[in-house]
PDB file of all heavy atoms in Angstrom:
ATOM      1  N   TYR I  77    -119.364  -8.181  10.507  1.00  0.00           N
ATOM      2  CA  TYR I  77    -120.666  -7.586  10.220  1.00  0.00           C
ATOM      3  C   TYR I  77    -121.234  -6.935  11.485  1.00  0.00           C
ATOM      4  O   TYR I  77    -121.785  -5.870  11.465  1.00  0.00           O
ATOM      5  CB  TYR I  77    -121.690  -8.649   9.795  1.00  0.00           C
ATOM      6  CG  TYR I  77    -121.310  -9.591   8.711  1.00  0.00           C
ATOM      7  CD1 TYR I  77    -120.748 -10.819   9.017  1.00  0.00           C
ATOM      8  CD2 TYR I  77    -121.560  -9.277   7.386  1.00  0.00           C
ATOM      9  CE1 TYR I  77    -120.443 -11.713   8.028  1.00  0.00           C
ATOM     10  CE2 TYR I  77    -121.256 -10.181   6.388  1.00  0.00           C
ATOM     11  CZ  TYR I  77    -120.696 -11.396   6.715  1.00  0.00           C
ATOM     12  OH  TYR I  77    -120.397 -12.296   5.732  1.00  0.00           O
ATOM     13  N   ALA I  78    -121.082  -7.647  12.613  1.00  0.00           N
ATOM     14  CA  ALA I  78    -121.773  -7.224  13.822  1.00  0.00           C
ATOM     15  C   ALA I  78    -120.871  -6.526  14.828  1.00  0.00           C
ATOM     16  O   ALA I  78    -121.348  -5.729  15.612  1.00  0.00           O
ATOM     17  CB  ALA I  78    -122.416  -8.434  14.501  1.00  0.00           C
ATOM     18  N   HIS I  79    -119.573  -6.816  14.825  1.00  0.00           N
ATOM     19  CA  HIS I  79    -118.779  -6.268  15.918  1.00  0.00           C
ATOM     20  C   HIS I  79    -117.475  -5.625  15.473  1.00  0.00           C
ATOM     21  O   HIS I  79    -116.546  -5.490  16.237  1.00  0.00           O
ATOM     22  CB  HIS I  79    -118.486  -7.359  16.954  1.00  0.00           C
ATOM     23  CG  HIS I  79    -118.003  -8.634  16.360  1.00  0.00           C
ATOM     24  ND1 HIS I  79    -118.820  -9.722  16.203  1.00  0.00           N
ATOM     25  CD2 HIS I  79    -116.792  -9.001  15.843  1.00  0.00           C
ATOM     26  CE1 HIS I  79    -118.133 -10.715  15.647  1.00  0.00           C
ATOM     27  NE2 HIS I  79    -116.915 -10.303  15.420  1.00  0.00           N
ATOM     28  N   GLY I  80    -117.404  -5.172  14.211  1.00  0.00           N
ATOM     29  CA  GLY I  80    -116.219  -4.431  13.783  1.00  0.00           C
ATOM     30  C   GLY I  80    -116.273  -3.003  14.287  1.00  0.00           C
ATOM     31  O   GLY I  80    -117.263  -2.523  14.807  1.00  0.00           O
ATOM     32  N   THR I  81    -115.166  -2.290  14.110  1.00  0.00           N
ATOM     33  CA  THR I  81    -115.107  -0.902  14.539  1.00  0.00           C
ATOM     34  C   THR I  81    -114.901  -0.011  13.329  1.00  0.00           C
ATOM     35  O   THR I  81    -113.864  -0.085  12.675  1.00  0.00           O
ATOM     36  CB  THR I  81    -113.951  -0.682  15.532  1.00  0.00           C
ATOM     37  OG1 THR I  81    -112.749  -1.134  14.909  1.00  0.00           O
ATOM     38  CG2 THR I  81    -114.188  -1.459  16.804  1.00  0.00           C
ATOM     39  N   PRO I  82    -115.864   0.836  12.966  1.00  0.00           N
ATOM     40  CA  PRO I  82    -115.728   1.701  11.791  1.00  0.00           C
ATOM     41  C   PRO I  82    -114.471   2.550  11.873  1.00  0.00           C
ATOM     42  O   PRO I  82    -114.188   3.157  12.893  1.00  0.00           O
ATOM     43  CB  PRO I  82    -116.996   2.552  11.838  1.00  0.00           C
ATOM     44  CG  PRO I  82    -117.966   1.748  12.637  1.00  0.00           C
ATOM     45  CD  PRO I  82    -117.144   1.010  13.641  1.00  0.00           C
ATOM     46  N   GLY I  83    -113.754   2.565  10.758  1.00  0.00           N
ATOM     47  CA  GLY I  83    -112.567   3.389  10.681  1.00  0.00           C
ATOM     48  C   GLY I  83    -111.351   2.765  11.317  1.00  0.00           C
ATOM     49  O   GLY I  83    -110.247   3.268  11.181  1.00  0.00           O
ATOM     50  N   GLY I  84    -111.517   1.686  12.039  1.00  0.00           N
ATOM     51  CA  GLY I  84    -110.393   1.069  12.702  1.00  0.00           C
ATOM     52  C   GLY I  84    -109.877  -0.111  11.928  1.00  0.00           C
ATOM     53  O   GLY I  84    -110.154  -0.306  10.761  1.00  0.00           O
ATOM     54  N   GLY I  85    -109.106  -0.966  12.622  1.00  0.00           N
ATOM     55  CA  GLY I  85    -108.537  -2.116  11.946  1.00  0.00           C
ATOM     56  C   GLY I  85    -109.545  -3.227  11.740  1.00  0.00           C
ATOM     57  O   GLY I  85    -109.374  -4.077  10.885  1.00  0.00           O
ATOM     58  N   GLY I  86    -110.629  -3.243  12.542  1.00  0.00           N
ATOM     59  CA  GLY I  86    -111.617  -4.299  12.409  1.00  0.00           C
ATOM     60  C   GLY I  86    -112.602  -4.010  11.303  1.00  0.00           C
ATOM     61  O   GLY I  86    -112.644  -2.916  10.747  1.00  0.00           O
ATOM     62  N   LEU I  87    -113.424  -4.984  11.002  1.00  0.00           N
ATOM     63  CA  LEU I  87    -114.416  -4.842   9.950  1.00  0.00           C
ATOM     64  C   LEU I  87    -115.568  -3.987  10.455  1.00  0.00           C
ATOM     65  O   LEU I  87    -116.032  -4.154  11.565  1.00  0.00           O
ATOM     66  CB  LEU I  87    -114.922  -6.238   9.586  1.00  0.00           C
ATOM     67  CG  LEU I  87    -115.379  -6.478   8.164  1.00  0.00           C
ATOM     68  CD1 LEU I  87    -114.272  -6.119   7.186  1.00  0.00           C
ATOM     69  CD2 LEU I  87    -115.716  -7.944   8.008  1.00  0.00           C
ATOM     70  N   ALA I  88    -116.025  -3.070   9.624  1.00  0.00           N
ATOM     71  CA  ALA I  88    -117.088  -2.163  10.061  1.00  0.00           C
ATOM     72  C   ALA I  88    -118.444  -2.858  10.064  1.00  0.00           C
ATOM     73  O   ALA I  88    -118.608  -3.939   9.507  1.00  0.00           O
ATOM     74  CB  ALA I  88    -117.125  -0.938   9.171  1.00  0.00           C
ATOM     75  N   LEU I  89    -119.419  -2.212  10.680  1.00  0.00           N
ATOM     76  CA  LEU I  89    -120.729  -2.822  10.901  1.00  0.00           C
ATOM     77  C   LEU I  89    -121.372  -3.312   9.615  1.00  0.00           C
ATOM     78  O   LEU I  89    -121.814  -4.450   9.532  1.00  0.00           O
ATOM     79  CB  LEU I  89    -121.654  -1.803  11.581  1.00  0.00           C
ATOM     80  CG  LEU I  89    -123.093  -2.272  11.809  1.00  0.00           C
ATOM     81  CD1 LEU I  89    -123.111  -3.454  12.767  1.00  0.00           C
ATOM     82  CD2 LEU I  89    -123.938  -1.139  12.368  1.00  0.00           C
ATOM     83  N   ASP I  90    -121.419  -2.468   8.597  1.00  0.00           N
ATOM     84  CA  ASP I  90    -122.036  -2.854   7.336  1.00  0.00           C
ATOM     85  C   ASP I  90    -120.960  -3.278   6.345  1.00  0.00           C
ATOM     86  O   ASP I  90    -120.783  -2.688   5.296  1.00  0.00           O
ATOM     87  CB  ASP I  90    -122.869  -1.721   6.754  1.00  0.00           C
ATOM     88  CG  ASP I  90    -124.209  -1.584   7.444  1.00  0.00           C
ATOM     89  OD1 ASP I  90    -124.771  -2.610   7.856  1.00  0.00           O
ATOM     90  OD2 ASP I  90    -124.678  -0.455   7.569  1.00  0.00           O
TER      91      ASP I  90
END
Side-chain angles (χ1 to χ4, degrees):
Y77 309 93
H79 47 258
T81 55
L87 210 56
L89 177 64
D90 282 326

